[in-house]
Amino acid sequence: VQLVESGGGLVQPGGSLRLSCAASGFTFSRYAMSWYRQAPGKGRELVATITSGGDSTNYADSVKGRFTISRDNAKSTVYLQMNSLKPEDTAVYYCNTVLVYKTYRGQGTQVTVSS
């Protein structure tokens, strides 16, 4: 199982970024996917989750209305569109999945929101 995130970077407050997570080594279309984040000195936070078919999503209250999770099962990729970014969104963002009770996540991509 391999999860590879990309798309992070430095953005000004109010800006947008789109994160991608390319998955391999398992049947992507059968599993829910999630994005987590971890800010310096803080615990890991669940940001968003999408079902295997993409028909249902859930978001942390802190990102509702600003972030959108989506997936392309043909490309085995999950996305996180982040709009209206705030300094408090600064964190390392990880994609995550659970296969047969084991959790897998990628190496993460840094998102820094600063002027």
Side-chain angles (χ1 to χ4, degrees), residues 56-99:
S56 181
T57 57
N58 282 289
Y59 298 92
D61 287 343
S62 57
V63 307
K64 273 182 186 174
R66 300 188 298 121
F67 291 11
T68 302
I69 188 171
S70 62
R71 65 191 296 160
D72 184 337
N73 284 347
K75 295 183 178 179
S76 296
T77 301
V78 61
Y79 305 97
L80 187 68
Q81 178 67 45
M82 306 186 296
N83 299 328
S84 302
L85 283 161
K86 304 175 181 180
E88 52 262 44
D89 295 318
T90 295
V92 178
Y93 284 72
Y94 303 88
C95 67
N96 183 100
T97 192
V98 179
L99 310 180

Side-chain angles (χ1 to χ4, degrees), residues 5-9 19-20 35 91-95 106-112:
E5 301 94 339
S6 61
L19 306 184
S20 299
W35 284 96
V92 178
Y93 284 72
Y94 303 88
C95 67
Q107 82 290 346
T109 186
Q110 176 71 47
V111 172
T112 302

Side-chain angles (χ1 to χ4, degrees), residues 15-71:
S16 297
L17 282 175
R18 188 194 195 202
L19 306 184
S20 299
C21 172
S24 60
F26 66 104
T27 306
F28 180 79
S29 60
R30 292 184 180 177
Y31 296 93
M33 298 294 297
S34 299
W35 284 96
Y36 282 77
R37 67 185 181 185
Q38 187 163 18
K42 295 188 177 181
R44 196 175 309 133
E45 176 187 19
L46 175 60
V47 175
T49 298
I50 188 167
T51 53
S52 58
D55 54 306
S56 181
T57 57
N58 282 289
Y59 298 92
D61 287 343
S62 57
V63 307
K64 273 182 186 174
R66 300 188 298 121
F67 291 11
T68 302
I69 188 171
S70 62
R71 65 191 296 160

